[in-house]
């Protein structure tokens, strides 16, 4: 009886701690499962958001491209509206003339005239009653739809315009009421690209009834059906959604996305309506390629939390064992205390590790969600001036001014993209400064153009001037200095209330020598100012002041950190003077190399004149290019078109190769002198530009092997230039192509395109676009 009581008493000591430990383990596991579920939901939102942003960009690009055809149709309508033709033969001849005049073949388009009875006339005569007359029966003046008319065979995008004054034919005055611009649906691909996500994305153009009008992808169509909407309706939805829900969201918001499973593979798709074009655009991509970095990041965080959970479980187990041992013998009390202290240290270390991981994860998430902060300023200028250009297309002077500002803002946008890509390189010291000639007044003017829209929108006053500056022409890394000033001005605009003032003053303090001067740049605003506590952390990454005013203003928290790094790289200093409620002033002090004085430049020009003769004008230089032959190696159709237009404007004859292997074959089968120069892209299918250059350099014919080759690529890092040089290329021009820079390179040696002179020319410019 006594033994039974002792056993019962002993069990009463242990079952409560055991149950408590079990409950804690269960809570930890439930917490991990909850966090995992939350991360899955967040990943889903991130993937859906990314896909919707991508298809929105495709839609905008496609609509801009299609809008050109309405401009063409308006021009054609103006040319024929209200005219009278003696017979149908004269009408078809007019159609041929119009197609040639407006160069419709280059747009993949044809003209169709519709007689009031529905008879269609093309450039080769009457083609019977048009199958799609029902689209014109609602009386609309303008209509766009997908046509699969049997009159021509194939699928076309039809732009239909009702004539205010019909065309008449013959003595009976037969009326032609509509003019149709038919565009081959396959030709719309040139207005957008689906070459993202590693080429795994597919785009669909869908008619209102759900049938497929056009499919664009390098891979096989996984749906492989005629009616896309029906296939989506019958698909297996992964997250509990349905096509009815997606369709309802599409009708209300104009865009929707979901994930489905096809043949045991998960896919994401996004739908968006094309405004005014009676079509739906769909983007389909395997789930494994969407938001890869976010998935990896959340997976890593989950793994860390699981490890921490196992550590905590181990801590509980060890604590329980220590407790049981303490009950058995008082002699183990000291050992138990020591173990408990050790376990506490491990627990604190685990909690610290978790905290560090959470802080890093939060900082990265903030950066990824807000990094569009610095991109929106130049993008606003690009979109705004492009819109103004379309609205004032007949005013050539205005359009020219808008294009100039678009180009300036586009160049700045490119520099921001390079900033984001180079951020880790700046921190590791791998980014070097590229000094070029610069004019301080011109830099201020360019910056004013970029931020002018924001200044006007917030009703601010902007003052810019140079004080006691005798040497405006200097050498500096213009892109990096612009980046510093725009970072400071962007913050000033954000934190200055309407009616405030922002000023930029550049002062030449002194000259250290005839070749170097000291400049002070002050950027001042009358904004909200900063606290002393935040000023001490202002140059740290991801730091933003926490206040009721500032918290409503978006930003990445990287601008000032990058600014400080760039100023340090330039060997300068940056100081902050600020007071809450009274504004902020940043003071930069930089030592800049001075360009030679005008007299020295004139003397140098005289020497060059005596040695080499008077330089020819640009017009004469272009004449020297007439008949010269260039092989353009480029796989992207739009890039080829741009490069051909630029080079043809200089008088060159152009041959095209779409990959490196084709380029090697063309050079190997040519004779010396057939080609004067090769412009070589780098990333291409079949064979890249590096490999193609190496093949050309070992050709048996030494004259063909020595042909000048210039890299023309979007890879713009220093290591890319080194790789181009190491494989045997003679020069490097990065994309997007700077027309002025390319012209300077081509004209600098006129047309003596020999290996050595071209290498000297390109090697000396240090161009990076």
């Amino acid at each position: 009886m006594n033994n039974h009581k002792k056993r019962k008493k002993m069990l009463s000591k242990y079952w409560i701690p055991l149950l408590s430990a079990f409950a804690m383990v269960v809570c930890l596991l439930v917490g991990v499962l909850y966090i995992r579920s939350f991360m899955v939901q967040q990943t889903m939102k991130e993937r859906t958001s990314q896909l919707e942003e991508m298809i929105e960009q495709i839609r905008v690009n496609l609509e801009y491209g299609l809008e050109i055809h309405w401009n063409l149709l308006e021009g054609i309508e103006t040319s024929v509206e209200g005219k009278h033709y003696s017979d149908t033969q004269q009408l078809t001849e007019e159609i041929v003339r119009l197609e040639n005049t407006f160069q419709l073949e280059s747009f993949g388009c044809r003209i169709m005239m519709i007689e009031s009875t529905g008879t269609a006339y093309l450039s080769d005569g009457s083609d019977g009653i048009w199958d799609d007359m029902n689209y014109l029966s609602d009386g609309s003046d303008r209509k766009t739809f997908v046509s699969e008319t049997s009159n021509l065979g194939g699928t076309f995008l039809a732009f239909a315009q009702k004539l205010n004054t019909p065309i008449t034919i013959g003595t009976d005055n037969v009326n032609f009421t509509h003019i149709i611009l038919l565009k081959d649906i396959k030709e719309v691909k040139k207005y957008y690209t689906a070459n993202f996500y590693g080429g795994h994305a597919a785009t669909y153009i869908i008619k209102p009834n759900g049938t497929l009008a056009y499919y664009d992808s390098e891979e096989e169509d996984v749906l492989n059906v005629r009616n896309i909407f029906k296939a989506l309706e019958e698909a297996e939805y992964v997250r509990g959604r349905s096509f009815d829900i997606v369709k309802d969201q599409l009708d209300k918001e104009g865009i929707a996305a979901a994930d489905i499973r096809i043949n045991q593979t998960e896919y994401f798709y996004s739908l968006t309506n094309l405004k005014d074009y009676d079509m739906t655009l769909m983007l389909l991509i395997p789930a494994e390629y969407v938001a890869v970095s976010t998935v990896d990041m959340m997976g890593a965080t989950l793994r860390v939390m699981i490890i921490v959970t196992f550590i905590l479980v181990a801590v509980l187990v060890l604590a329980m064992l220590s407790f049981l041992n303490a009950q058995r013998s008082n002699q183990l009390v000291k050992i138990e205390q020591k173990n408990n202290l050790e376990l506490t240290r491990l627990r604190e270390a685990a909690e610290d590790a978790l905290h560090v991981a959470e802080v890093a994860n939060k900082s990265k998430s903030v950066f990824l969600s807000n990094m569009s902060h610095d991109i929106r300023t130049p993008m606003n200028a690009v979109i705004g001036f492009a819109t103004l250009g379309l609205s004032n297309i007949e005013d050539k002077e205005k359009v020219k001014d808008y294009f100039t500002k678009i180009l300036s803002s586009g160049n700045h946008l490119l520099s921001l993209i390079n900033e984001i890509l180079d951020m880790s390189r700046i921190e590791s010291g791998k980014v070097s400064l590229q000094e070029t000639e610069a004019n301080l007044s011109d830099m201020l003017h360019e910056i004013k153009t970029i931020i002018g829209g924001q200044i006007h929108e917030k009703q601010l006053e902007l003052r810019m001037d140079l004080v006691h500056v005798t040497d405006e022409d200097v050498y500096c890394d213009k892109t990096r200095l612009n980046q510093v000033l725009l970072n400071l001005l962007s913050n000033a605009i954000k934190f200055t209330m309407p009616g405030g003032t922002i000023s930029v003053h550049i002062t030449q303090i002194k000259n250290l020598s005839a070749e170097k001067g000291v400049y002070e740049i002050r950027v001042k605003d009358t904004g909200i100012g900063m606290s002393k506590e935040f000023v001490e952390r202002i140059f740290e990454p991801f730091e933003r002041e926490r206040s009721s005013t500032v918290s409503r203003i978006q930003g990445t928290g990287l601008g000032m950190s990058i600014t400080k790094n760039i100023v340090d790289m330039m060997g300068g200093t940056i100081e902050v003077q600020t007071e809450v409620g009274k504004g902020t002033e940043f003071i930069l002090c930089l030592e800049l190399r001075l360009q030679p004085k005008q007299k020295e430049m004139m003397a140098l020009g005289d020497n060059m004149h005596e040695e080499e003769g008077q330089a020819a004008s640009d017009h004469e230089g272009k004449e020297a290019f007439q008949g010269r032959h260039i092989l353009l190696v480029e796989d992207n159709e739009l890039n080829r078109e741009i490069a051909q237009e630029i080079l043809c404007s200089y008088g060159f004859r152009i041959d095209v190769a779409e990959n490196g292997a084709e380029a090697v074959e063309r050079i190997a089968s040519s004779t010396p002198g057939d080609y004067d120069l090769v412009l070589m892209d780098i990333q291409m299918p079949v064979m890249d530009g590096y490999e193609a250059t190496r093949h050309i350099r070992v050709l048996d014919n030494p004259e063909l092997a020595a042909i000048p080759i210039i890299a023309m690529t979007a890879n713009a890092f220093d290591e890319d230039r080194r790789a181009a040089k190491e494989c045997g290329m003679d020069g490097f021009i990065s994309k997007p192509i700077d027309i002025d820079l390319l012209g300077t390179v081509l004209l600098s040696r006129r047309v003596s395109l020999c290996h050595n002179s071209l290498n000297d020319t390109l090697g000396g410019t240090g161009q990076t676009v």
Side-chain angles (χ1 to χ4, degrees), residues 222-223 236 261-267:
V222 296
L223 296 179
E236 176 187 356
R261 187 173 283 111
I262 303 173
N263 298 329
Q264 305 304 315
T265 301
E266 186 177 357
Y267 289 82

Side-chain angles (χ1 to χ4, degrees), residues 635-648:
D635 65 309
N636 185 277
E637 182 180 354
L638 291 180
N639 289 343
R640 282 202 308 271
E641 182 179 349
I642 292 170
Q644 284 181 280
E645 290 292 334
I646 294 173
L647 294 170
C648 287

Side-chain angles (χ1 to χ4, degrees), residues 10-24:
M10 185 176 294
L11 290 174
S12 66
K13 292 181 178 179
Y14 297 137
W15 73 270
I16 293 178
L18 286 172
L19 286 177
S20 299
F22 178 78
M24 292 181 69

Side-chain angles (χ1 to χ4, degrees), residues 423-449:
M423 185 170 61
S424 62
R425 297 161 61 88
I426 291 176
E427 293 177 348
S428 62
K430 293 182 179 180
V431 174
S432 59
L433 298 177
Q434 301 290 332
E435 286 194 344
T436 59
E437 295 180 354
N439 180 275
L440 298 178
S441 293
D442 292 343
M443 289 178 63
L444 290 183
H445 181 73
E446 292 174 3
I447 291 172
K448 184 176 182 181
T449 298

Side-chain angles (χ1 to χ4, degrees), residues 424 511 530 547:
S424 62
N511 284 358
M530 293 177 284
S547 71

